[in-house]
Amino acid sequence: MKKIAVISGASSGIGLSAAAMFYNNGYVVYSLSRAKPEDNRILHIPTDVSNAQSVKDAVEAVITSEGRIDVLVNNAGFGISGPVELTDLSDAKSIFDVNFFGTFLCIKYALPYMRAQGYGHIVCVSSSAAVLPVPYQSFYSCTKSAINAFVLSLANEVRPFGIKVSAVMPGDVKTGFTSNRKKSVSDNENYRAHEQRAINRMEQDEQNGMSPEKVARRIFKAATKKRPRVIYAVGFSYRLFAVLQKILPAGFVNYIEGKIYG
């Protein structure tokens, strides 16, 4: 009997690579996303992860067709950039609605079925920005920090039911995420020059970053390992930075990161 993987935001980028990875390893794979994946092997359920009823209906559709969910990968998300002072409240709420509350909704509606079946793996795509917040990406960094805290708490809640939970933190990845980021370009001369340098550096790093397939391999490992870690960093340099962030003074680490993006 084939196992069932449900992946939010699997229409492109990391999500699509993860969907292909699971499919190639014998899974039936569903994408919960607004756009249809280019890979026709992936079953698509049109879903707005920021809408509770849409997510509930999508999860129930999978259960109706398959009877269970073995793996849930929460990948749907987007980015915004710009100074905190000049960010619209609606944009700040919107990124939390998708990145964080979208993750929460997918888990909320999948958990009853996983709990009833006595097993399941949940993997949430976080970011190195969760532990190394990036200037001019404050709200994106906050959503990913929230996901890490959520995963750490959730893992203890659902462990008695045989459900395993992990967060995977990739660093810079070369995908369409860069071009899809919503930019709040500042016309304020107090921010303009510094903001532009920081965003240019960030986008350059992303376009020279790791492949989405590398992240997909880590997601698959976290989802299929008997005793997965709760938090994974992807890429040697990002694993190193995550360790240094724990042992060096926070102010020093933050200062160095500010210089990198300055």
Side-chain angles (χ1 to χ4, degrees):
M1 185 179 294
K2 288 190 174 183
K3 292 185 176 181
I4 311 303
V6 175
I7 304 175
S8 70
S11 58
S12 62
I14 292 172
L16 182 58
S17 294
M21 178 75 65
F22 280 95
Y23 183 89
N24 291 337
N25 282 274
Y27 283 71
V28 176
V29 184
Y30 285 83
S31 171
L32 273 51
S33 54
R34 289 179 298 176
K36 188 178 186 299
E38 296 175 0
D39 189 336
N40 290 326
R41 302 174 303 173
I42 310 307
L43 301 172
H44 178 231
I45 300 177
T47 309
D48 176 359
V49 298
S50 67
N51 181 288
Q53 191 63 52
S54 179
V55 175
K56 185 174 186 289
D57 291 345
V59 170
E60 289 179 352
V62 175
I63 295 298
T64 298
S65 295
E66 308 294 345
R68 69 188 195 285
I69 297 173
D70 298 287
V71 173
L72 171 66
V73 178
N74 297 289
N75 168 74
F78 73 99
I80 62 174
S81 65
V84 168
E85 180 183 346
L86 303 177
T87 299
D88 289 339
L89 177 60
S90 59
D91 287 339
K93 287 184 175 181
S94 179
I95 194 171
F96 268 92
D97 281 343
V98 174
N99 293 14
F100 179 73
F101 289 110
T103 294
F104 157 64
L105 287 172
C106 289
I107 291 172
K108 174 180 174 62
Y109 292 116
L111 267 180
Y113 301 105
M114 288 186 168
R115 181 166 46 76
Q117 68 198 22
Y119 65 90
H121 288 255
I122 297 171
V123 180
C124 300
V125 178
S126 180
S127 169
S128 61
V131 294
L132 295 166
V134 181
Y136 301 100
Q137 280 203 91
S138 300
F139 293 98
Y140 176 78
S141 300
C142 286
T143 63
K144 297 305 184 178
S145 295
I147 284 174
N148 279 16
F150 183 69
V151 163
L152 288 165
S153 178
L154 179 66
N156 284 325
E157 291 184 18
V158 300
R159 185 176 292 112
F161 310 124
I163 302 169
K164 301 174 178 66
V165 188
S166 298
V168 170
M169 302 190 304
D172 296 310
V173 185
K174 186 176 181 179
T175 67
F177 186 89
T178 302
S179 60
N180 291 331
R181 180 182 288 110
K182 182 174 182 179
K183 296 180 183 179
S184 178
V185 180
S186 171
D187 59 0
N188 186 311
E189 63 181 15
N190 295 295
Y191 288 109
R192 190 184 304 117
H194 188 197
E195 175 190 1
Q196 197 58 57
R197 285 196 303 272
I199 292 174
N200 287 345
R201 172 61 187 269
M202 173 181 64
E203 292 185 345
Q204 182 181 25
D205 288 345
E206 287 172 346
Q207 291 309 295
N208 291 311
M210 70 184 80
S211 69
E213 289 76 19
K214 182 171 184 176
V215 184
R217 286 193 292 272
R218 180 60 68 181
I219 291 170
F220 184 78
K221 181 178 179 179
T224 56
K225 198 173 178 63
K226 187 175 181 179
R227 293 184 178 85
R229 299 177 193 169
V230 183
I231 305 287
Y232 288 89
V234 185
F236 174 77
S237 60
Y238 300 103
R239 292 198 301 271
L240 177 61
F241 292 151
V243 171
L244 292 177
Q245 181 269 340
K246 293 178 181 178
I247 61 178
L248 294 175
F252 176 72
V253 173
N254 198 48
Y255 173 79
I256 295 300
E257 186 164 18
K259 298 299 272 184
I260 290 173
Y261 288 99

